[in-house]
Amino acid sequence: MSSTLPRTTLPKTSDATFAADVLGSDVPVLVDFTASWCPPCRMVTPVLEQLAAEERDRLRVVQLDVDADPETARTYRVMGLPTMSLFRDGEVVASVVGARPRAAITREIEPFLAPR
């Protein structure tokens, strides 16, 4: 079982860089907790890539491989994959568990993003 995630345009974060990449960010960050062996994770990646491109002024989207970097997933009690957690000012303000359509993801995170 490989811990290499499929090719994506989404930047990666890790246990070592999570504080700087996510907790210290001045914009909200949607963390995609994912794994290479997870088919629903692969299904949601293109949706997140599109969301990241279209909302780049209001949001960053990063991936964290839970197999390669389990500490952060454990800290935030990630129990199912994919889990997408929105961090704002260093705190989780919204989470979506499971592969969801873009509209469902957007509905959960929109209240926490800057106005357009």
Side-chain angles (χ1 to χ4, degrees):
M1 180 177 359
S2 169
S3 67
T4 304
L5 295 177
R7 287 195 169 293
T8 178
T9 59
L10 296 174
K12 306 293 185 266
T13 190
S14 67
D15 290 343
T17 62
F18 190 83
D21 293 343
V22 178
L23 303 180
S25 178
D26 56 353
V27 296
V29 180
L30 185 65
V31 178
D32 175 26
F33 291 94
T34 189
S36 61
W37 49 263
C38 169
C41 298
R42 290 191 296 272
M43 288 173 38
V44 81
T45 296
V47 173
L48 297 178
E49 289 172 332
Q50 182 184 39
L51 184 66
E54 292 176 9
E55 299 291 350
R56 67 182 157 273
D57 296 334
R58 304 190 310 150
L59 173 73
R60 285 187 63 227
V61 180
V62 299
Q63 284 188 322
L64 185 133
D65 182 335
V66 299
D67 290 331
D69 295 285
E71 273 310 306
T72 302
R74 209 173 359 260
T75 298
Y76 291 99
R77 295 186 177 100
V78 173
M79 303 301 277
L81 295 180
T83 292
M84 293 145 282
S85 295
L86 183 68
F87 288 78
R88 190 171 83 175
D89 300 323
E91 299 292 326
V92 176
V93 294
S95 284
V96 178
V97 179
R100 300 280 183 263
R102 176 164 176 191
I105 296 168
T106 302
R107 190 171 37 253
E108 293 297 322
I109 67 172
E110 181 66 36
F112 303 101
L113 303 181
R116 291 185 187 274

